Amino acid sequence: MQKTTIPRLPLTGGCQCGRFRYRAHARPLVFYLCHCTECQRQTSSAFGESLRFAASTVDIDEGLRCISRTSESGRLREGWFCPDCGVRIWHGTKGSEEINIKAG
């Protein structure tokens, strides 16, 4: 089994145009590949990559645009995007204590 190493904290990233950045001050809870049709449409591929964090451990620049929708389970899902370049920075369920940073 190959050991996975995580870069030094904070983990940083952001949108394509560079206007918005995030800083994760703790290790992710999980890395996952989602194959749902929403992630396939959003990435134009077979899957979307996400890193799940406790929301309290991530700082994200203010000013992202939110798109909300009701999922098949009836929960309100939110996706947060850069209003300039359109890159989705994070998504999650309204009121959850966890967020999913788009890792790809």
Side-chain angles (χ1 to χ4, degrees), residues 66-91:
C66 179
I67 304 293
S68 299
R69 68 168 184 80
T70 302
S71 68
E72 292 177 6
S73 67
R75 295 182 295 177
L76 186 59
R77 302 284 293 161
E78 298 179 329
W80 293 83
F81 299 80
C82 172
D84 293 337
C85 67
V87 168
R88 179 165 50 164
I89 302 295
W90 72 275
H91 65 278

Side-chain angles (χ1 to χ4, degrees), residues 7-76:
R8 289 181 174 222
L9 297 175
L11 299 176
T12 61
C15 65
Q16 185 172 343
C17 72
R19 179 175 172 196
F20 293 95
R21 303 294 294 164
Y22 65 82
R23 291 149 303 282
H25 301 283
R27 297 172 63 103
L29 303 172
V30 68
F31 167 76
Y32 67 94
L33 302 176
C34 181
H35 294 14
C36 77
T37 53
E38 180 179 349
C39 284
Q40 290 174 349
R41 286 187 193 114
Q42 197 267 330
T43 62
S44 298
S45 72
F47 56 85
E49 299 178 43
S50 294
L51 288 168
R52 182 167 295 154
F53 290 92
S56 63
T57 66
V58 181
D59 297 323
I60 303 172
D61 293 345
E62 297 286 327
L64 294 174
R65 180 172 292 151
C66 179
I67 304 293
S68 299
R69 68 168 184 80
T70 302
S71 68
E72 292 177 6
S73 67
R75 295 182 295 177
L76 186 59

